[in-house]
Amino acid sequence: MSRTGTTSHPASDGLGLLSDDVVAVQRGPEPGGLAGAYRIFGETLRGLKTTFGQVVAGTTTVEYPEEKVPVYPRFRGRHRLHTFEDTGLEKCVGCSLCAAACPADCIRVVAAENDPEDRVSGGERYAAVYEINMSRCIFCGYCEIACPFDAITMGHDFELADYNRSDLIFTKEMLLQEPPVRTPLRREGE
Amino acid sequence: MPLLSTVGYYEPWYVQILKALVVFGVGFSLVPLALLYERKLLGRFQNRPGPNRVGPFGTLQPAADILKLLGKEQFRPTNAIGWLFILSPLVAMVCALATFMLIPFSGAPQDILGTPVGLYGLDSDIGLLIVFAFASVGSYGVLLGGWSSASKYSFLGAMRAAAQLISYEIAQGLALLGVIISAGTLSLTEIVDEQSALWFVIPQLVGAITFFIATLAEINRTPFDLLEADSELVAGFMTEYGGGRFALYYVAEYVHLIVAGGLFTTLFLGGWHLPFVDQPGWLDPFVVLAKTIVVVTFIVWIRATLPKLRYDQLMTFGWKVLLPIATVNALVTAVVVVAW
């Protein structure tokens, strides 16, 4: 619709012809006067009824620190490193594919050879250092996709705030542990 | 007819002083209660619980608010007129508390520790006039506060306050004329006693509605909170105020709210009278308080419902709708009273 088209539109040509881009405006009764005051009164009562309905409807607040909104199963929260359930060995073999896939460059992996006497991981090598800088992580989940052994997955925990930036660098031990506070998970159909 | 007004019941001078302190204390301690009550109720109207973090059920929230305000810096704009800037919040608060003084909580003097005491600050036979006088002086707190701040927003807020004042004071006074004619007195306790049979809200329904709307404008509540107008004027006349001075304005606002409830109770809802029940005298203040709470609830309900009026709408409504209605109401009441 061109600018000139709106300034000289044919809405007021007296023939009642309205072009497609001109919309007839719906107008209420003229404001003011005694009738207006009467309508104000009625509409006020209607509004009072509406707001009272909200009192009856009750509150919808979730008292956050005490109760949490359950997260969806695919919610991408704090990472978890996994171990084999039967042997207890770490799944991570220190391949650094996660670090390569990470767009925020927040994963640091230093691999080392497994000692055959005292194995750490299931593969040849293991991650001697595995650190995720949570202050840089954007929770995109690419590390999870990149991992060939499902060793790293995104968990459900989102309460990661801390007072110190250095405390936000999560080490392998922290990532292997169960999160201290469980985040409620949304059940099927919830 | 004596030239000087008389006072309904005189106590000894020490009781008078004690009463002044008590009224001050009660008025001041009702403020945090009203503040909490309004915030809680407003929360319910908006599907949220309201303040519930500080103390059990948020009961210490007002205390936290006040402590926070008192701990703040007393800021003053460079161009502000110093002494007026400091005086204005005081004027607003003192006048608000002075109107509270006149609300009667019981008619007959109550026996407190052997001393008969009237449960009101003052029962003069020009009580209603004093209420209006202090309400008018109280608006100087707003006007001068806005003007002396030397700020655009404050000034606009003060200007709106002036316009609102002249639009509503007259309608409010005329709406009350019906009550005064029916009761034949200006003394608040006698007005209440006139309502022992029938509350004035029934014969004076039009006057009650007009007075209620005008009162909303007078105490700057929505839909007439033009002089604060957060959406357009920051905080209106109190934009430049902070800390304790802002707290004083806040106290004034909530005392106004309580006084509005108490005044409506006194004038239209029969004060301490209950229908069909003759309760013992010590229950009277609680009856008045309960009725006041009902009115305050309604005021908060209206705040939760109505948006702000436009400036010209407010003046049109005041002059062209409320004033004629109030005038006709006063005239009809006068004719009816004389004819019967």
Side-chain angles (χ1 to χ4, degrees):
Chain A
M1 191 168 80
S2 67
R3 199 81 193 95
T4 49
T6 51
T7 48
S8 62
H9 62 73
S12 54
D13 58 358
L15 298 171
L17 290 172
L18 293 172
S19 62
D20 284 344
D21 54 349
V22 177
V23 180
V25 176
Q26 297 283 319
R27 285 200 185 282
E30 271 298 302
L34 265 182
Y38 177 74
R39 277 197 303 276
I40 287 172
F41 199 66
E43 293 296 299
T44 303
L45 289 183
R46 208 157 66 92
L48 288 172
K49 196 178 131 207
T50 308
T51 41
F52 189 73
Q54 298 309 307
V55 179
V56 177
T59 58
T60 53
T61 308
V62 178
E63 304 273 345
Y64 165 60
E66 287 88 28
E67 47 177 308
K68 291 168 190 168
V69 179
V71 297
Y72 284 93
R74 290 176 63 180
F75 181 85
R76 297 196 297 264
R78 202 200 89 160
H79 310 72
R80 291 284 319 277
L81 281 177
H82 295 279
T83 54
F84 290 106
E85 268 173 34
D86 45 354
T87 56
L89 295 175
E90 286 169 20
K91 285 184 177 175
C92 179
V93 296
C95 67
S96 299
L97 277 175
C98 47
C102 183
D105 204 11
C106 65
I107 306 180
R108 173 168 167 257
V109 185
V110 176
E113 290 291 331
N114 259 324
D115 179 8
E117 305 297 309
D118 183 22
R119 300 184 68 83
V120 179
S121 79
E124 259 177 54
R125 305 205 295 169
Y126 74 99
V129 176
Y130 195 102
E131 282 176 1
I132 297 181
N133 187 347
M134 286 295 176
S135 59
R136 297 198 62 158
C137 179
I138 60 170
F139 300 94
C140 62
Y142 282 9
C143 47
E144 186 181 31
I145 297 166
C147 185
F149 294 102
D150 284 345
I152 184 165
T153 57
M154 305 295 279
H156 295 131
D157 313 296
F158 52 87
E159 291 165 323
L160 298 166
D162 217 321
Y163 290 103
N164 204 325
R165 275 186 216 172
S166 55
D167 289 348
L168 281 167
I169 297 173
F170 278 50
T171 60
K172 190 171 82 168
E173 286 68 39
M174 294 157 82
L175 292 169
L176 277 167
Q177 272 166 15
E178 285 286 316
V181 185
R182 293 307 300 242
T183 306
L185 188 64
R186 204 173 280 258
R187 283 187 302 277
E188 196 75 28
E190 198 177 358
Chain B
M1 191 97 181
L3 214 60
L4 297 170
S5 75
T6 52
V7 172
Y9 180 72
Y10 260 136
E11 287 95 353
W13 61 271
Y14 55 90
V15 180
Q16 297 269 347
I17 291 172
L18 214 63
K19 247 167 58 168
L21 291 175
V22 168
V23 167
F24 197 74
V26 169
F28 242 90
S29 45
L30 278 177
V31 167
L33 291 176
L35 201 135
L36 184 70
Y37 183 67
E38 185 187 17
R39 288 186 63 180
K40 278 275 186 192
L41 203 61
L42 210 54
R44 291 285 159 173
F45 278 114
Q46 296 163 357
N47 301 94
R48 57 188 175 85
N52 63 353
R53 290 283 137 184
V54 192
F57 305 105
T59 39
L60 294 178
Q61 184 67 45
D65 284 348
I66 289 162
L67 275 179
K68 180 203 76 177
L69 283 176
L70 292 182
K72 279 191 168 184
E73 186 192 352
Q74 297 277 17
F75 176 77
R76 190 157 66 80
T78 324
N79 294 334
I81 303 165
W83 62 277
L84 266 184
F85 187 79
I86 292 163
L87 197 68
S88 306
L90 274 174
V91 169
M93 187 207 60
V94 168
C95 291
L97 278 170
T99 42
F100 182 71
M101 169 187 82
L102 286 143
I103 290 172
F105 281 86
S106 173
Q110 299 294 314
D111 198 50
I112 299 175
L113 299 177
T115 320
V117 176
L119 296 184
Y120 36 73
L122 180 72
D123 174 34
S124 169
D125 64 358
I126 54 162
L128 211 49
L129 264 182
I130 303 180
V131 170
F132 270 85
F134 273 117
S136 303
V137 176
S139 51
Y140 274 106
V142 171
L143 291 174
L144 294 177
W147 178 59
S148 63
S149 300
S151 150
K152 276 172 262 178
Y153 293 122
S154 305
F155 186 69
L156 280 172
M159 256 173 51
R160 288 182 177 195
Q164 191 163 315
L165 185 73
I166 53 169
S167 305
Y168 275 90
E169 284 275 81
I170 304 169
Q172 193 184 24
L174 279 172
L176 276 191
L177 220 51
V179 169
I180 296 165
I181 293 169
S182 309
T185 173
L186 281 166
S187 157
L188 287 166
T189 47
E190 281 171 40
I191 286 176
V192 174
D193 272 332
E194 286 288 321
Q195 303 176 66
S196 53
L198 187 64
W199 297 358
F200 276 148
V201 73
I202 296 161
Q204 286 290 327
L205 184 63
V206 179
I209 294 170
T210 322
F211 176 76
F212 186 76
I213 296 171
T215 307
L216 285 184
E218 202 221 330
I219 63 171
N220 315 325
R221 304 289 300 187
T222 33
F224 309 112
D225 59 341
L226 284 158
L227 48 163
E228 277 178 55
D230 342 37
S231 49
E232 51 215 73
L233 295 185
V234 189
F237 64 95
M238 45 184 175
T239 305
E240 302 296 340
Y241 282 94
R245 288 177 200 140
F246 176 78
L248 284 188
Y249 269 132
Y250 230 69
V251 166
E253 195 179 317
Y254 279 91
V255 171
H256 273 310
L257 176 65
I258 298 159
V259 167
L263 210 57
F264 193 82
T265 305
T266 307
L267 295 172
F268 292 103
L269 298 183
W272 52 85
H273 291 301
L274 284 176
F276 317 120
V277 184
D278 202 19
Q279 82 274 23
W282 59 271
L283 265 176
D284 288 355
F286 298 101
V287 174
V288 176
L289 263 183
K291 287 180 183 175
T292 304
I293 289 170
V294 170
V295 180
V296 168
T297 308
F298 193 64
I299 293 176
V300 176
W301 187 2
I302 283 176
R303 179 179 169 184
T305 305
L306 294 179
K308 200 163 41 242
L309 255 69
R310 216 171 53 216
Y311 191 69
D312 60 316
Q313 286 173 332
L314 167 104
M315 299 197 55
T316 311
F317 190 62
W319 286 108
K320 290 189 183 170
V321 180
L322 277 193
L323 185 59
I325 289 177
T327 314
V328 169
N329 178 55
L331 280 175
V332 170
T333 312
V335 167
V336 167
V337 166
V338 170
W340 256 259

Short mmCIF file of all heavy atoms in Angstrom, two decimals, chain B residues 172-220:
data_model
loop_
_atom_site.label_atom_id
_atom_site.label_comp_id
_atom_site.label_asym_id
_atom_site.label_seq_id
_atom_site.Cartn_x
_atom_site.Cartn_y
_atom_site.Cartn_z
N GLN B 172 -17.80 17.39 46.19
CA GLN B 172 -17.76 16.64 47.44
C GLN B 172 -18.55 17.35 48.53
O GLN B 172 -19.36 16.74 49.23
CB GLN B 172 -16.31 16.46 47.87
CG GLN B 172 -16.12 15.44 48.96
CD GLN B 172 -14.70 15.37 49.42
OE1 GLN B 172 -13.94 16.33 49.28
NE2 GLN B 172 -14.31 14.26 49.97
N GLY B 173 -18.33 18.66 48.64
CA GLY B 173 -19.05 19.43 49.65
C GLY B 173 -20.55 19.41 49.43
O GLY B 173 -21.33 19.20 50.36
N LEU B 174 -20.94 19.58 48.16
CA LEU B 174 -22.37 19.59 47.86
C LEU B 174 -23.00 18.22 48.08
O LEU B 174 -24.15 18.13 48.49
CB LEU B 174 -22.59 20.04 46.41
CG LEU B 174 -22.54 21.54 46.20
CD1 LEU B 174 -22.57 21.86 44.73
CD2 LEU B 174 -23.71 22.21 46.91
N ALA B 175 -22.22 17.16 47.82
CA ALA B 175 -22.76 15.83 48.05
C ALA B 175 -23.04 15.62 49.53
O ALA B 175 -23.97 14.91 49.90
CB ALA B 175 -21.78 14.76 47.55
N LEU B 176 -22.23 16.28 50.37
CA LEU B 176 -22.42 16.12 51.81
C LEU B 176 -23.55 17.00 52.34
O LEU B 176 -24.06 16.77 53.43
CB LEU B 176 -21.13 16.49 52.54
CG LEU B 176 -20.13 15.37 52.63
CD1 LEU B 176 -19.05 15.75 53.60
CD2 LEU B 176 -20.81 14.09 53.09
N LEU B 177 -23.92 18.02 51.55
CA LEU B 177 -24.96 18.93 52.00
C LEU B 177 -26.24 18.17 52.32
O LEU B 177 -26.94 18.50 53.29
CB LEU B 177 -25.22 19.98 50.90
CG LEU B 177 -25.46 21.40 51.38
CD1 LEU B 177 -24.38 21.82 52.34
CD2 LEU B 177 -25.53 22.34 50.21
N GLY B 178 -26.53 17.15 51.53
CA GLY B 178 -27.72 16.34 51.79
C GLY B 178 -27.67 15.73 53.18
O GLY B 178 -28.65 15.78 53.93
N VAL B 179 -26.52 15.17 53.53
CA VAL B 179 -26.36 14.56 54.85
C VAL B 179 -26.52 15.62 55.94
O VAL B 179 -27.20 15.41 56.94
CB VAL B 179 -24.98 13.88 54.96
CG1 VAL B 179 -24.70 13.49 56.39
CG2 VAL B 179 -24.93 12.69 54.06
N ILE B 180 -25.88 16.77 55.70
CA ILE B 180 -25.90 17.81 56.73
C ILE B 180 -27.33 18.32 56.93
O ILE B 180 -27.78 18.52 58.06
CB ILE B 180 -24.95 18.96 56.34
CG1 ILE B 180 -23.51 18.44 56.28
CG2 ILE B 180 -25.06 20.10 57.31
CD1 ILE B 180 -22.57 19.35 55.57
N ILE B 181 -28.07 18.48 55.83
CA ILE B 181 -29.45 18.94 55.94
C ILE B 181 -30.29 17.89 56.67
O ILE B 181 -31.07 18.22 57.57
CB ILE B 181 -30.03 19.22 54.54
CG1 ILE B 181 -29.32 20.41 53.91
CG2 ILE B 181 -31.52 19.50 54.63
CD1 ILE B 181 -29.63 20.59 52.45
N SER B 182 -30.10 16.62 56.32
CA SER B 182 -30.89 15.57 56.97
C SER B 182 -30.57 15.49 58.45
O SER B 182 -31.47 15.34 59.28
CB SER B 182 -30.59 14.22 56.32
OG SER B 182 -30.72 14.30 54.93
N ALA B 183 -29.29 15.58 58.79
CA ALA B 183 -28.90 15.43 60.19
C ALA B 183 -29.10 16.72 60.96
O ALA B 183 -29.29 16.70 62.17
CB ALA B 183 -27.44 15.00 60.28
N GLY B 184 -29.04 17.85 60.27
CA GLY B 184 -29.21 19.14 60.93
C GLY B 184 -28.04 19.53 61.81
O GLY B 184 -28.18 20.34 62.72
N THR B 185 -26.86 18.94 61.56
CA THR B 185 -25.70 19.27 62.38
C THR B 185 -24.43 18.99 61.58
O THR B 185 -24.45 18.25 60.60
CB THR B 185 -25.67 18.44 63.67
OG1 THR B 185 -24.45 18.69 64.33
CG2 THR B 185 -25.79 16.96 63.38
N LEU B 186 -23.33 19.61 62.02
CA LEU B 186 -22.03 19.35 61.40
C LEU B 186 -21.16 18.47 62.28
O LEU B 186 -20.09 18.05 61.89
CB LEU B 186 -21.29 20.66 61.13
CG LEU B 186 -21.73 21.45 59.90
CD1 LEU B 186 -21.16 22.85 59.96
CD2 LEU B 186 -21.26 20.77 58.64
N SER B 187 -21.63 18.22 63.49
CA SER B 187 -20.85 17.39 64.40
C SER B 187 -20.91 15.94 63.96
O SER B 187 -21.98 15.39 63.69
CB SER B 187 -21.41 17.52 65.82
OG SER B 187 -21.05 16.39 66.57
N LEU B 188 -19.75 15.31 63.88
CA LEU B 188 -19.70 13.96 63.32
C LEU B 188 -20.40 12.95 64.22
O LEU B 188 -21.08 12.06 63.74
CB LEU B 188 -18.25 13.57 63.07
CG LEU B 188 -17.62 14.27 61.87
CD1 LEU B 188 -16.13 14.11 61.86
CD2 LEU B 188 -18.20 13.75 60.58
N THR B 189 -20.25 13.11 65.55
CA THR B 189 -20.93 12.14 66.43
C THR B 189 -22.44 12.28 66.32
O THR B 189 -23.18 11.29 66.34
CB THR B 189 -20.50 12.33 67.89
OG1 THR B 189 -20.58 13.71 68.19
CG2 THR B 189 -19.11 11.83 68.13
N GLU B 190 -22.91 13.52 66.20
CA GLU B 190 -24.35 13.71 66.11
C GLU B 190 -24.88 13.19 64.77
O GLU B 190 -25.99 12.66 64.69
CB GLU B 190 -24.71 15.18 66.30
CG GLU B 190 -24.69 15.58 67.78
CD GLU B 190 -24.83 17.08 67.96
OE1 GLU B 190 -25.62 17.69 67.23
OE2 GLU B 190 -24.11 17.64 68.82
N ILE B 191 -24.08 13.35 63.72
CA ILE B 191 -24.48 12.80 62.41
C ILE B 191 -24.64 11.29 62.54
O ILE B 191 -25.60 10.70 62.04
CB ILE B 191 -23.45 13.16 61.33
CG1 ILE B 191 -23.58 14.64 60.96
CG2 ILE B 191 -23.65 12.30 60.09
CD1 ILE B 191 -22.56 15.11 59.97
N VAL B 192 -23.69 10.66 63.24
CA VAL B 192 -23.80 9.20 63.41
C VAL B 192 -25.04 8.85 64.22
O VAL B 192 -25.78 7.92 63.89
CB VAL B 192 -22.53 8.65 64.08
CG1 VAL B 192 -22.70 7.18 64.39
CG2 VAL B 192 -21.34 8.85 63.19
N ASP B 193 -25.30 9.62 65.29
CA ASP B 193 -26.45 9.31 66.13
C ASP B 193 -27.76 9.48 65.37
O ASP B 193 -28.74 8.79 65.66
CB ASP B 193 -26.43 10.20 67.38
CG ASP B 193 -25.62 9.56 68.49
OD1 ASP B 193 -25.55 8.32 68.49
OD2 ASP B 193 -25.04 10.29 69.31
N GLU B 194 -27.78 10.38 64.40
CA GLU B 194 -28.97 10.54 63.57
C GLU B 194 -29.26 9.28 62.77
O GLU B 194 -30.36 9.07 62.28
CB GLU B 194 -28.79 11.73 62.62
CG GLU B 194 -28.88 13.09 63.28
CD GLU B 194 -30.30 13.43 63.68
OE1 GLU B 194 -31.22 13.11 62.93
OE2 GLU B 194 -30.48 14.00 64.78
N GLN B 195 -28.23 8.45 62.57
CA GLN B 195 -28.39 7.27 61.72
C GLN B 195 -28.72 6.02 62.51
O GLN B 195 -28.66 4.92 61.98
CB GLN B 195 -27.10 7.02 60.93
CG GLN B 195 -26.68 8.19 60.08
CD GLN B 195 -25.37 7.93 59.40
OE1 GLN B 195 -25.28 7.06 58.56
NE2 GLN B 195 -24.36 8.68 59.75
N SER B 196 -29.09 6.18 63.80
CA SER B 196 -29.34 4.99 64.61
C SER B 196 -30.49 4.17 64.05
O SER B 196 -30.50 2.94 64.15
CB SER B 196 -29.63 5.40 66.06
OG SER B 196 -30.67 6.37 66.06
N ALA B 197 -31.46 4.84 63.42
CA ALA B 197 -32.59 4.10 62.85
C ALA B 197 -32.28 3.65 61.43
O ALA B 197 -32.46 2.49 61.06
CB ALA B 197 -33.85 4.96 62.87
N LEU B 198 -31.82 4.58 60.61
CA LEU B 198 -31.59 4.28 59.18
C LEU B 198 -30.28 4.92 58.75
O LEU B 198 -30.08 6.12 58.94
CB LEU B 198 -32.76 4.84 58.36
CG LEU B 198 -32.77 4.49 56.88
CD1 LEU B 198 -32.93 3.00 56.69
CD2 LEU B 198 -33.85 5.26 56.17
N TRP B 199 -29.39 4.11 58.18
CA TRP B 199 -28.14 4.67 57.70
C TRP B 199 -28.41 5.63 56.56
O TRP B 199 -29.28 5.39 55.73
CB TRP B 199 -27.21 3.56 57.20
CG TRP B 199 -26.79 2.61 58.27
CD1 TRP B 199 -27.12 2.66 59.59
CD2 TRP B 199 -25.99 1.44 58.09
NE1 TRP B 199 -26.56 1.62 60.26
CE2 TRP B 199 -25.85 0.85 59.36
CE3 TRP B 199 -25.37 0.87 57.00
CZ2 TRP B 199 -25.12 -0.31 59.55
CZ3 TRP B 199 -24.64 -0.28 57.18
CH2 TRP B 199 -24.52 -0.86 58.45
N PHE B 200 -27.61 6.68 56.50
CA PHE B 200 -27.83 7.71 55.49
C PHE B 200 -27.58 7.19 54.07
O PHE B 200 -27.94 7.82 53.10
CB PHE B 200 -26.94 8.93 55.74
CG PHE B 200 -27.54 9.87 56.74
CD1 PHE B 200 -26.73 10.61 57.58
CD2 PHE B 200 -28.92 10.02 56.82
CE1 PHE B 200 -27.29 11.48 58.49
CE2 PHE B 200 -29.48 10.89 57.74
CZ PHE B 200 -28.66 11.62 58.58
N VAL B 201 -26.92 6.03 53.96
CA VAL B 201 -26.61 5.55 52.62
C VAL B 201 -27.90 5.20 51.89
O VAL B 201 -27.95 5.22 50.66
CB VAL B 201 -25.65 4.34 52.69
CG1 VAL B 201 -26.35 3.10 53.19
CG2 VAL B 201 -25.03 4.09 51.34
N ILE B 202 -28.99 4.95 52.61
CA ILE B 202 -30.24 4.59 51.93
C ILE B 202 -31.00 5.83 51.46
O ILE B 202 -31.25 5.97 50.27
CB ILE B 202 -31.09 3.67 52.83
CG1 ILE B 202 -30.34 2.35 53.04
CG2 ILE B 202 -32.45 3.39 52.21
CD1 ILE B 202 -30.80 1.56 54.22
N PRO B 203 -31.33 6.77 52.37
CA PRO B 203 -32.02 7.96 51.84
C PRO B 203 -31.09 8.84 51.00
O PRO B 203 -31.57 9.57 50.13
CB PRO B 203 -32.50 8.70 53.10
CG PRO B 203 -31.61 8.22 54.18
CD PRO B 203 -31.25 6.82 53.84
N GLN B 204 -29.80 8.79 51.24
CA GLN B 204 -28.87 9.68 50.54
C GLN B 204 -28.00 8.89 49.55
O GLN B 204 -26.81 9.14 49.42
CB GLN B 204 -27.97 10.39 51.55
CG GLN B 204 -28.65 11.50 52.32
CD GLN B 204 -28.95 12.68 51.43
OE1 GLN B 204 -28.19 12.96 50.52
NE2 GLN B 204 -30.05 13.35 51.69
N LEU B 205 -28.60 7.94 48.86
CA LEU B 205 -27.80 7.06 47.99
C LEU B 205 -27.03 7.85 46.94
O LEU B 205 -25.83 7.63 46.73
CB LEU B 205 -28.72 6.02 47.33
CG LEU B 205 -27.98 5.00 46.49
CD1 LEU B 205 -27.06 4.16 47.35
CD2 LEU B 205 -28.95 4.10 45.76
N VAL B 206 -27.72 8.80 46.30
CA VAL B 206 -27.05 9.59 45.26
C VAL B 206 -25.89 10.37 45.87
O VAL B 206 -24.79 10.40 45.32
CB VAL B 206 -28.06 10.53 44.59
CG1 VAL B 206 -27.38 11.37 43.54
CG2 VAL B 206 -29.19 9.72 43.97
N GLY B 207 -26.18 10.99 47.03
CA GLY B 207 -25.13 11.73 47.70
C GLY B 207 -23.96 10.83 48.07
O GLY B 207 -22.80 11.21 47.94
N ALA B 208 -24.27 9.61 48.52
CA ALA B 208 -23.21 8.69 48.93
C ALA B 208 -22.32 8.33 47.75
O ALA B 208 -21.09 8.35 47.85
CB ALA B 208 -23.82 7.42 49.52
N ILE B 209 -22.95 8.03 46.61
CA ILE B 209 -22.15 7.66 45.43
C ILE B 209 -21.31 8.85 44.98
O ILE B 209 -20.11 8.71 44.71
CB ILE B 209 -23.07 7.16 44.30
CG1 ILE B 209 -23.75 5.85 44.72
CG2 ILE B 209 -22.29 6.97 43.02
CD1 ILE B 209 -24.85 5.42 43.79
N THR B 210 -21.93 10.02 44.92
CA THR B 210 -21.19 11.21 44.50
C THR B 210 -20.03 11.49 45.44
O THR B 210 -18.91 11.76 45.01
CB THR B 210 -22.13 12.42 44.48
OG1 THR B 210 -23.40 12.02 44.01
CG2 THR B 210 -21.59 13.51 43.59
N PHE B 211 -20.32 11.40 46.74
CA PHE B 211 -19.28 11.67 47.73
C PHE B 211 -18.16 10.64 47.60
O PHE B 211 -16.97 10.98 47.69
CB PHE B 211 -19.87 11.62 49.14
CG PHE B 211 -18.85 11.77 50.22
CD1 PHE B 211 -18.32 13.01 50.51
CD2 PHE B 211 -18.42 10.67 50.95
CE1 PHE B 211 -17.38 13.16 51.50
CE2 PHE B 211 -17.47 10.83 51.94
CZ PHE B 211 -16.96 12.06 52.21
N PHE B 212 -18.52 9.40 47.37
CA PHE B 212 -17.50 8.36 47.26
C PHE B 212 -16.57 8.63 46.08
O PHE B 212 -15.35 8.56 46.20
CB PHE B 212 -18.18 6.99 47.11
CG PHE B 212 -17.21 5.85 47.14
CD1 PHE B 212 -16.65 5.45 48.33
CD2 PHE B 212 -16.85 5.21 45.97
CE1 PHE B 212 -15.76 4.41 48.37
CE2 PHE B 212 -15.96 4.16 46.00
CZ PHE B 212 -15.41 3.77 47.20
N ILE B 213 -17.19 8.97 44.93
CA ILE B 213 -16.36 9.24 43.74
C ILE B 213 -15.47 10.45 43.99
O ILE B 213 -14.27 10.45 43.69
CB ILE B 213 -17.26 9.46 42.51
CG1 ILE B 213 -18.04 8.18 42.21
CG2 ILE B 213 -16.44 9.88 41.32
CD1 ILE B 213 -19.10 8.34 41.16
N ALA B 214 -16.07 11.49 44.59
CA ALA B 214 -15.28 12.69 44.86
C ALA B 214 -14.17 12.41 45.86
O ALA B 214 -13.08 12.96 45.75
CB ALA B 214 -16.20 13.80 45.38
N THR B 215 -14.45 11.53 46.81
CA THR B 215 -13.41 11.18 47.79
C THR B 215 -12.26 10.46 47.12
O THR B 215 -11.10 10.71 47.42
CB THR B 215 -14.00 10.28 48.89
OG1 THR B 215 -15.15 10.93 49.42
CG2 THR B 215 -13.01 10.05 49.99
N LEU B 216 -12.59 9.56 46.17
CA LEU B 216 -11.53 8.88 45.43
C LEU B 216 -10.62 9.91 44.77
O LEU B 216 -9.39 9.78 44.76
CB LEU B 216 -12.12 7.98 44.35
CG LEU B 216 -12.75 6.68 44.79
CD1 LEU B 216 -13.19 5.90 43.59
CD2 LEU B 216 -11.75 5.87 45.58
N ALA B 217 -11.24 10.97 44.22
CA ALA B 217 -10.43 12.01 43.59
C ALA B 217 -9.64 12.77 44.63
O ALA B 217 -8.48 13.13 44.41
CB ALA B 217 -11.33 12.95 42.80
N GLU B 218 -10.25 13.01 45.77
CA GLU B 218 -9.59 13.83 46.78
C GLU B 218 -8.39 13.12 47.37
O GLU B 218 -7.37 13.75 47.65
CB GLU B 218 -10.59 14.18 47.87
CG GLU B 218 -10.20 15.42 48.65
CD GLU B 218 -10.45 15.26 50.10
OE1 GLU B 218 -11.37 14.52 50.46
OE2 GLU B 218 -9.71 15.87 50.88
N ILE B 219 -8.47 11.81 47.55
CA ILE B 219 -7.33 11.11 48.14
C ILE B 219 -6.43 10.54 47.05
O ILE B 219 -5.56 9.72 47.33
CB ILE B 219 -7.79 10.00 49.11
CG1 ILE B 219 -8.58 8.93 48.37
CG2 ILE B 219 -8.61 10.56 50.24
CD1 ILE B 219 -8.87 7.72 49.22
N ASN B 220 -6.64 10.94 45.84
CA ASN B 220 -5.75 10.60 44.71
C ASN B 220 -5.65 9.11 44.48
O ASN B 220 -4.57 8.59 44.25
CB ASN B 220 -4.35 11.17 44.91
CG ASN B 220 -4.38 12.60 45.38
OD1 ASN B 220 -5.27 13.33 44.96
ND2 ASN B 220 -3.46 12.98 46.21
#
